[in-house]
Amino acid sequence: MKNVIKVENLSKSYGDIKAVKDVSFSVHEGEIFGVIGPNGAGKTTTLEMLEGIIKPDKGNVNVLGLIPCQSLRELNKRIGVQFQATSIQKKMKVKEALALFSSFYKQENQKDYLVELLGLEDKMEVKFDDLSGGWKQRLTLALATLHRPEILFLDEPSMGLDPHARREMWSLIRLLREQGCTVVLTTHYMEEAEKLCDRVAMIYSGELKALNSPRDLLNEVAAHYLTFESDGLGYEQLIGLPGVIRVEIEEGVYKVYSDNQQKTAYHIFSSCESKGLSLSNFRFETGSLDDLFVHYLEKEKIV
Amino acid sequence: MNAVIQLAGLETKMFFRDRLSTFWTFLFPVTMIWLFGSMFVGETMNGQTFAEMFVPSWIGVNIVTTSFFTLGTVLTGYRETGVLRRYQSTPLQPWKILAAHAFQGTVIFGISAVLLMVFGMMMYDLRLPEFIGSTLLVLLISILAFFPFALFLTSLAKNTQTAAAISTLFLNLMLFLSGATFPLEMMPTVLQYVAKVLPLYYVIQLMRGTWTEAPITEYGFEAGVLIGIAVVSTILASRFFRWSDK
């Protein structure tokens, strides 16, 4: 598999704050690569070092064979960027923005195709400021992909979108990948990472904590738990059972994290049975990236 | 090149889209001339009539307001809201952005200059500039001196409020100390020297001079000062151009 981005021991500090610490990873050609983590984890800083607009303090970045901050102009012809908090001129109309950004690139553009794909025809005469959040995101996505970039960088592409618009955004991003575009995106929505990304890099406090496909990450036992409802079991009883790491009880719904699910399940069943307590809705859950995330954060706190 | 033309055209078009700000931009200088006219009309100073004194100098003042308020503050706003940052990830070079805004500024300034002149001709019997080629050349040099000067100064500001504060300070200093509003002869000697530090002083000398007295060739020193400012501030503005505040 060909790597289009290679990052080695990347670090960046702002004053005393270390935004990114010694991060290394590669992005394969044609995949959707997610950089996930909570707000302030260093996702945007990482992305902007790849885009070449922030210069790393330490480490190597290679994007499409270029060193981003040294050959920014060359790189900008080949990548597309959608920022998290930028706008275009408020009074600029959609069709004007599309024409303007097309004029920045020498290569043939796919303006008409994108207008149709994104359903922008009816909005051509609308000023940017008058567009709703979802339409603004669509337009800035169009502006980032006009020139058929080889890599598309999206910083929180579904921020502020309603669930329906978010799903539409996902299918657009998938479509772009099918056309051969590599996509690197950041998100703090774990659902987005699970459903959209081929591989994810999980970072927080500037450090890379995990790097894998969402499925493989979830196959790590850490996020697995048993869940059930019961009316009599106490926390003390559960935490003492073999294999149990952590117990969460919320309004009669139990979540038991264990490093040996089968054994723990057996003991839960037998203690309920012997004490005559009710037990219902028992399930083995693989968890979500959200759970995995909480798990990592709590482990961090203990250390 | 296509990008510069597109951007220049769009920025100019978008300026006129805000009807209210367009109205005030063009009304302000005309109102000032009308106010001064009601005070000074009929008087002559150094052999020049009221209109010959004030209309050319207020055309000069207009260059300052356009550079600071139309160009400088707007670009600072673009920096603040991320418009420039968005450009940073395209192949568009900074000089093209500056050139597009300079074009927009020239168009806006041109309109208000013509308005002022026509107003002066209708109300106060102003005649067309005696040395019109020289006057146009003076305007060109002044624009080249002031646009980058204002772009550089306002780029030091972190946000539009600060940029507006910087702009207001410079505008007021120059308004009162460069002879545009009050004749310098009325002022203490110290302030007359201070005036010569301010670039607008030279613009006004050249404008008044070429309007009635002599062609630009007679004002080598003043023109030289402005060309110097143009060169230095162009270097500063492009050297310190910033896409964002990060």
Side-chain angles (χ1 to χ4, degrees):
Chain A
M1 216 169 323
K2 199 179 141 195
N3 287 332
V4 283
I5 297 176
K6 204 165 163 47
V7 174
E8 283 167 341
N9 311 105
L10 195 62
S11 297
K12 176 77 191 177
S13 303
Y14 294 109
D16 291 339
I17 304 153
K18 288 184 174 162
V20 175
K21 295 177 224 167
D22 205 24
V23 167
S24 305
F25 60 85
S26 305
V27 177
H28 308 321
E29 189 173 25
E31 72 175 343
I32 299 179
F33 186 86
V35 179
I36 63 173
N39 293 329
K43 301 187 299 277
T44 301
T45 308
T46 306
L47 204 66
E48 291 185 348
M49 284 192 277
L50 301 182
E51 293 158 3
I53 54 182
I54 295 182
K55 201 169 180 276
D57 294 338
K58 259 186 249 147
N60 301 315
V61 187
N62 188 308
V63 179
L64 296 168
L66 301 165
I67 297 165
C69 58
Q70 286 173 16
S71 6
L72 190 57
R73 247 196 113 216
E74 186 52 38
L75 184 71
N76 281 337
K77 292 174 190 165
R78 300 170 63 187
I79 64 166
V81 178
Q82 185 186 36
F83 288 96
Q84 190 185 134
T86 59
S87 75
I88 57 169
Q89 289 86 328
K90 289 190 181 98
K91 279 175 274 172
M92 198 183 277
K93 290 178 182 171
V94 170
K95 68 166 185 199
E96 292 168 341
L98 289 166
L100 177 67
F101 277 76
S102 300
S103 75
F104 295 165
Y105 303 95
K106 286 203 175 67
Q107 63 261 48
E108 195 198 346
N109 66 66
Q110 51 176 354
K111 189 170 85 183
D112 299 333
Y113 169 73
L114 284 170
V115 167
E116 201 190 318
L117 181 72
L118 295 163
L120 285 166
E121 298 99 335
D122 298 337
K123 303 282 177 187
M124 294 302 260
E125 295 293 330
V126 182
K127 291 171 198 154
F128 185 71
D129 211 26
D130 297 332
L131 291 172
S132 70
W135 285 105
K136 278 183 180 151
Q137 288 287 56
R138 275 163 180 258
L139 176 60
T140 51
L141 182 68
L143 297 181
T145 43
L146 275 172
H147 55 297
R148 303 175 203 271
E150 292 164 59
I151 306 178
L152 183 59
F153 292 96
L154 308 171
D155 200 355
E156 299 278 357
S158 59
M159 179 111 100
L161 296 187
D162 62 51
H164 175 68
R166 187 174 302 162
R167 271 169 184 75
E168 278 189 351
M169 182 63 76
W170 292 349
S171 39
L172 288 172
I173 294 171
R174 285 196 196 99
L175 192 68
L176 291 167
R177 174 188 55 186
E178 275 159 35
Q179 292 169 352
C181 183
T182 307
V183 181
V184 180
L185 60 89
T186 69
T187 183
H188 67 273
Y189 296 114
M190 294 303 145
E191 193 199 353
E192 181 162 273
E194 273 176 73
K195 295 204 171 142
L196 184 62
C197 298
D198 297 310
R199 288 194 309 141
V200 292
M202 193 182 263
I203 59 171
Y204 56 83
S205 352
E207 286 175 70
L208 183 68
K209 296 292 178 182
L211 174 66
N212 217 328
S213 70
R215 186 191 296 262
D216 286 340
L217 271 183
L218 292 174
N219 274 337
E220 277 181 35
V221 195
H224 293 191
Y225 59 89
L226 307 166
T227 178
F228 53 89
E229 287 164 34
S230 174
D231 53 11
L233 272 176
Y235 180 83
E236 292 305 322
Q237 279 170 286
L238 281 168
I239 199 80
L241 294 176
V244 174
I245 299 166
R246 192 154 57 90
V247 177
E248 289 170 15
I249 308 172
E250 217 171 281
E251 300 189 10
V253 179
Y254 292 68
K255 270 187 180 183
V256 178
Y257 293 84
S258 162
D259 57 13
N260 189 338
Q261 288 193 307
Q262 189 179 339
K263 197 169 190 176
T264 307
Y266 168 75
H267 283 279
I268 292 170
F269 275 96
S270 63
S271 60
C272 283
E273 192 62 27
S274 63
K275 289 176 184 138
L277 297 170
S278 74
L279 186 63
S280 59
N281 275 335
F282 192 97
R283 290 190 310 276
F284 288 90
E285 289 283 0
T286 43
S288 62
L289 283 180
D290 250 332
D291 297 312
L292 190 64
F293 218 78
V294 173
H295 171 80
Y296 276 121
L297 282 175
E298 298 211 334
K299 213 165 73 181
E300 189 93 332
K301 268 185 224 156
I302 296 160
V303 176
Chain B
M1 205 56 209
N2 189 18
V4 190
I5 296 166
Q6 282 263 358
L7 190 59
L10 269 178
E11 287 294 345
T12 312
K13 215 153 94 182
M14 286 191 291
F15 172 82
F16 289 102
R17 227 161 248 177
D18 192 342
R19 305 247 175 256
L20 205 62
S21 97
T22 313
F23 177 72
W24 290 110
T25 306
F26 293 134
L27 186 69
F28 175 67
V30 174
T31 315
M32 292 307 283
I33 288 297
W34 178 72
L35 277 176
F36 284 114
S38 58
M39 287 190 271
F40 297 123
V41 79
E43 289 178 35
T44 52
M45 282 163 266
N46 306 331
Q48 289 176 314
T49 67
F50 155 75
E52 286 165 351
M53 286 286 286
F54 278 87
V55 173
S57 64
W58 272 82
I59 291 177
V61 170
N62 254 336
I63 296 181
V64 183
T65 48
T66 312
S67 354
F68 278 97
F69 291 96
T70 311
L71 294 189
T73 321
V74 167
L75 270 172
T76 309
Y78 282 1
R79 192 171 292 120
E80 199 181 5
T81 52
V83 172
L84 293 185
R85 201 171 165 71
R86 182 63 194 82
Y87 289 149
Q88 194 183 5
S89 284
T90 68
L92 187 69
Q93 298 116 302
W95 76 262
K96 291 186 177 172
I97 301 171
L98 297 178
H101 281 267
F103 172 83
Q104 180 220 33
T106 309
V107 170
I108 295 164
F109 163 71
I111 294 172
S112 65
V114 169
L115 275 178
L116 263 183
M117 196 177 71
V118 171
F119 185 74
M121 288 164 86
M122 279 166 30
M123 298 282 289
Y124 308 107
D125 303 320
L126 182 71
R127 278 174 304 157
L128 282 175
E130 204 76 33
F131 306 93
I132 197 154
S134 292
T135 309
L136 288 174
L137 194 58
V138 168
L139 289 177
L140 179 70
I141 299 171
S142 309
I143 285 172
L144 290 176
F146 263 98
F147 283 6
F149 180 69
L151 287 173
F152 167 66
L153 278 176
T154 49
S155 79
L156 302 175
K158 274 238 178 259
N159 53 44
T160 29
Q161 284 95 324
T162 319
I166 292 177
S167 303
T168 311
L169 173 73
F170 272 85
L171 177 64
N172 282 312
L173 266 180
M174 291 202 242
L175 268 186
F176 291 104
L177 290 180
S178 60
T181 39
F182 302 107
L184 277 179
E185 293 75 13
M186 283 167 59
M187 297 192 188
T189 332
V190 186
L191 287 185
Q192 292 192 21
Y193 282 114
V194 173
K196 290 176 185 169
V197 180
L198 299 169
L200 183 60
Y201 169 81
Y202 299 97
V203 176
I204 289 173
Q205 293 299 311
L206 283 168
M207 283 301 292
R208 282 180 182 159
T210 57
W211 206 284
T212 49
E213 303 288 330
I216 192 169
T217 42
E218 297 297 308
Y219 299 93
F221 174 70
E222 284 84 354
V225 170
L226 287 181
I227 291 169
I229 295 172
V231 171
V232 173
S233 53
T234 304
I235 293 169
L236 287 175
S238 44
R239 170 71 185 76
F240 291 100
F241 181 84
R242 286 177 305 128
W243 296 96
S244 68
D245 286 316
K246 278 199 184 171

